[in-house]
Amino acid sequence: MADERTTCHRCGTELDADALRARLYVCPRCGTYLPMPARERIEQMCDLRSFREFDRGLVSVDPLHFADSRPYRQRLAEARERTGLREAVVTGEGTLDGQRFVLVVLDFAFLGGSMGSAVGEKVARAFERATRRRLPVIAVTTSGGARMQEGILSLLQMAKTTTAVADHDRAGLPYIVLLANPTFGGVAASFGALGDVIVAEPGALVGFVGPRVVEMILGERAPEEMYRAETLLANGMVDMILARPDQRHVLSSLLHHLRRGAPTRTPRAALPTGAYAEAMSAWETVQIARRHGRPTAVDYLGGLFDEFLELHGDRALGDDPAIVGGLAQLDGQSIVVVAQERGRTSEEQAARRRGMAYPEGYRKARRLMRLAEKFDLPLVTLIDTPGAHPGPESERRGIAGALAECLAAMSSIRVPTIGAVIGEGGSGGALALATADRVLMLEHAIYSVISPEGAAAILYRDPARAPQVADALRLTAQDLFSLGVVDRVVPEPPGGAHVQPAVAVRLLRDHLVDALRELRALPRHRRMRDRYRRYRHIGKVGSYWRLVLDERTREVRNVLARHLRRSAPAVGAEPTPQEGGTG
């Protein structure tokens, strides 16, 4: 069993077992996260006395008759004696705030949490039970990698567990991973990397090949910081860093959001009707849409939804701050939100590049769209960007492909989709998140193929003519409503959303709720058909032969008109018998 006292490996403080348990195994002196035994994890995660263990009798054998300084069987016996566990993983079913789920917990104290055949088998069986019972899975990982004493059989547990996770995924069931320190090797590169949502503990070291092995193979020391959970968050590999005191609440919220079920509707105020508050020129509207102090996506996220849980990263390269997304609650239903954030202050605008996302931002959006698809959650997007980020960095990272992927996802995703233009909607960077079933647009927002300044520079070589071009581009909400590009114009408070931000948020929320209810009432096949027709037939397009026929018809009409004008009598002339006499 665990020692009565434990020493913090970072600051050397000695701590007794009861004090550690009370602090969830976090050092009170330096804040270091110490290894947490599997049984303590289970007690933290599950409702009281709700956990029922799976496969307790399943244990490792010695298939290779392996021995190094000590026989493998002896090492297993010592690990069982020291930890009170029969294997490096404990699996079972429990409840979290009344929600049933399957729990998989690794324990590093048992042979470094290594994945041998018994560990792989227990993990695979846990996922299979979860699939049969239609339950979500939460896995807590801490592992040094493969169990070398079982050779190639240990390696193949990566394939075994991944296959079971894939089957659970195809069934549309939630899977959440909590990465603890350390998580390396076969666990990190199999079921530990496949969660719908991946969270990590502060300071956790996570990777495929650890620093010590890298040094032995390459002869150079890998910096430990590159393996830190905080670095993984910045590089887009995990969704959030989650402190132990917060884990139970956040994991419960994730289980709630990712479950499938009918929404519970809430009362709402009637939609405002009548004329819009004021008329202004297109250029004046442009100035309001770009105005400092106008509410940004973050402001709307805080007021539109009953709860918003931000998720991070594209799981490939980075976490672009120009795109903010996650899970939220609207009208009693969980939804997925993807928003373009331009920043409120000058410093924020510089950091978020005024909402101009790199390819990884759009790939993050695409990942969140896949989450919405899997769990049948409506998708709401908030559009506010001058366009995708231009320049060599975006091109090297594949901006065209990233935009195309978003467009393809939004046009084919089977859940209800609503896009709302809240500020400046510019070019393909905006369209990539606006190809929705319903497109809403705030009264003083703009949406255009190009900025007025850009169009003036191209057409007249004079950006100063932007006010003139703004009118010609038809970029205001009223213009786009008349063109059939947007479905609703959402009124703003007099003077603009920046004058009364809370009122602007409430108005948008009312329209979002109304649009969501409208889409819920439509059968899926009809909604998908309507979306296809909407974008298939956008704009007025004629065929070549119809254009030729129209041109020939105009020519004939012009000839006839000229002939009639020549043959018509002069004004005031007496008609001849041939020119209209009564005969």
Side-chain angles (χ1 to χ4, degrees):
M1 300 299 290
D3 294 334
E4 289 300 313
R5 298 187 69 80
T6 299
T7 301
C8 175
H9 62 268
R10 177 157 297 180
C11 69
T13 301
E14 283 198 358
L15 304 158
D16 65 67
D18 290 339
L20 269 178
R21 277 193 292 271
R23 294 187 57 84
L24 299 176
Y25 290 80
V26 178
C27 176
R29 183 175 178 183
C30 67
T32 296
Y33 275 51
L34 302 173
M36 192 172 187
R39 296 295 178 192
E40 302 294 337
R41 289 275 188 190
I42 293 166
E43 186 177 317
Q44 176 203 11
M45 297 248 181
C46 295
D47 296 335
L48 186 64
R49 290 190 291 275
S50 69
F51 184 75
R52 299 293 180 267
E53 188 174 348
F54 299 152
D55 302 311
R56 182 170 171 78
L58 194 63
V59 296
S60 292
V61 293
D62 188 7
L64 305 184
H65 306 290
F66 189 94
D68 46 12
S69 60
R70 280 173 293 170
Y72 178 37
R73 288 181 181 272
Q74 182 181 339
R75 289 185 181 276
L76 288 169
E78 291 171 353
R80 289 169 188 145
E81 175 78 19
R82 184 174 60 255
T83 64
L85 302 176
R86 297 187 179 184
E87 250 307 338
V89 69
V90 180
T91 64
E93 180 184 331
T95 63
L96 175 54
D97 292 336
Q99 302 173 97
R100 291 175 62 201
F101 74 109
V102 167
L103 180 60
V104 174
V105 182
L106 287 161
D107 194 316
F108 193 79
F110 194 107
L111 296 182
S114 54
M115 184 162 65
S117 297
V119 170
E121 183 67 18
K122 291 182 74 170
V123 171
R125 289 187 186 188
F127 274 95
E128 288 167 350
R129 284 189 175 95
T131 303
R132 287 196 303 270
R133 300 175 187 181
R134 305 290 304 170
L135 294 176
V137 175
I138 296 176
V140 183
T141 66
T142 174
S143 174
R147 191 168 295 180
M148 294 175 291
Q149 295 88 344
E150 295 186 23
I152 192 69
L153 299 178
S154 174
L155 178 68
L156 290 174
Q157 301 312 305
M158 294 172 64
K160 175 191 288 185
T161 57
T162 299
T163 300
V165 174
D167 194 46
H168 185 262
D169 178 70
R170 282 191 294 272
L173 298 167
Y175 174 36
I176 302 165
V177 176
L178 171 59
L179 301 170
N181 181 51
T183 298
F184 282 104
V187 170
S190 60
F191 71 92
L194 296 176
D196 298 301
V197 177
I198 300 178
V199 301
E201 291 192 328
L205 295 176
V206 180
F208 181 47
V209 181
R212 187 174 61 179
V213 178
V214 169
E215 186 175 12
M216 292 172 61
I217 294 173
L218 301 180
E220 56 188 48
R221 183 68 178 173
E224 191 174 272
E225 288 307 309
M226 69 178 287
Y227 296 97
R228 293 277 179 207
E230 290 76 10
T231 304
L232 267 63
L233 180 67
N235 291 339
M237 305 302 177
V238 300
D239 287 289
M240 65 181 80
I241 306 294
L242 200 53
R244 282 182 186 162
D246 301 327
Q247 287 172 8
R248 183 181 171 89
H249 169 72
V250 173
L251 292 173
S252 177
S253 294
L254 286 169
L255 289 180
H256 174 76
H257 282 303
L258 297 179
R259 69 182 181 183
R260 292 169 179 261
T264 55
R265 295 184 176 179
T266 56
R268 65 173 182 82
L271 290 177
T273 57
Y276 298 109
E278 53 198 308
M280 58 182 66
S281 71
W283 185 243
E284 289 172 324
T285 303
V286 170
Q287 304 313 303
I288 290 182
R290 296 172 175 173
R291 182 187 175 99
H292 275 279
R294 183 176 175 85
T296 69
V298 169
D299 298 309
Y300 285 103
L301 291 173
L304 287 175
F305 308 113
D306 302 321
E307 181 183 23
F308 176 67
L309 194 60
E310 186 174 359
L311 304 178
H312 293 267
D314 66 348
R315 299 273 179 87
L317 182 64
D319 180 47
D320 193 329
I323 300 285
V324 178
L327 298 161
Q329 195 89 3
L330 178 66
D331 194 34
Q333 179 171 14
S334 293
I335 64 169
V336 171
V337 182
V338 179
Q340 291 164 328
E341 172 58 33
R342 59 184 166 88
R344 288 168 284 191
T345 65
S346 299
E347 293 77 12
E348 284 183 359
Q349 288 190 349
R352 297 185 186 268
R353 302 183 302 279
R354 293 187 299 129
M356 294 188 290
Y358 282 129
E360 51 266 34
Y362 291 101
R363 292 189 176 116
K364 174 165 71 171
R366 177 69 186 94
R367 184 174 79 81
L368 292 169
M369 291 175 195
R370 284 196 295 269
L371 203 67
E373 179 94 80
K374 177 177 176 179
F375 298 110
D376 198 27
L377 303 177
L379 174 70
V380 172
T381 63
L382 303 180
I383 295 100
D384 189 5
T385 180
H389 194 277
E393 274 303 309
S394 282
E395 297 297 340
R396 276 195 294 271
R397 299 178 192 179
I399 186 63
L403 291 171
E405 288 169 5
C406 266
L407 281 167
M410 284 208 73
S411 64
S412 61
I413 192 172
R414 294 173 294 173
V415 301
T417 57
I418 305 171
V421 184
I422 61 172
E424 181 173 9
S427 193
L431 180 64
L433 298 184
T435 311
D437 294 314
R438 297 290 182 271
V439 180
L440 283 54
M441 190 168 173
L442 267 61
E443 180 184 358
H444 298 312
I446 59 172
Y447 187 14
S448 177
V449 65
I450 191 172
S451 69
E453 296 89 342
I458 293 171
L459 297 173
Y460 300 109
R461 299 182 183 276
D462 182 7
R465 299 184 70 170
Q468 172 189 344
V469 176
D471 282 318
L473 285 173
R474 303 284 301 277
L475 46 66
T476 69
Q478 290 78 8
D479 287 333
L480 296 170
F481 178 77
S482 67
L483 290 170
V485 174
V486 303
D487 301 286
R488 301 181 184 208
V489 178
V490 180
E492 296 186 25
H498 59 281
V499 177
Q500 295 177 282
V503 174
V505 171
R506 187 175 69 248
L507 288 168
L508 180 56
R509 178 186 168 89
D510 288 343
H511 280 269
L512 283 174
V513 167
D514 195 68
L516 181 58
R517 291 182 178 180
E518 179 185 327
L519 291 171
R520 281 180 193 154
L522 293 176
R524 174 177 288 177
H525 73 276
R526 180 179 166 188
R527 181 167 40 75
M528 296 298 293
R529 181 200 65 192
D530 290 350
R531 187 193 302 163
Y532 178 82
R533 289 178 176 175
R534 173 195 182 103
Y535 293 102
R536 175 66 180 81
H537 300 296
I538 197 79
K540 302 293 184 182
V541 181
S543 71
Y544 171 74
W545 296 111
R546 181 175 296 278
L547 289 173
V548 171
L549 180 60
D550 289 346
E551 184 64 30
R552 294 291 172 83
T553 302
R554 281 195 294 272
E555 289 177 1
V556 170
R557 286 175 177 168
N558 289 337
V559 170
L560 288 173
R562 286 196 297 270
H563 175 73
L564 290 173
R565 284 197 297 271
R566 284 198 300 269
S567 60
V571 176
E574 290 291 330
T576 63
Q578 294 82 1
E579 292 177 328
T582 59

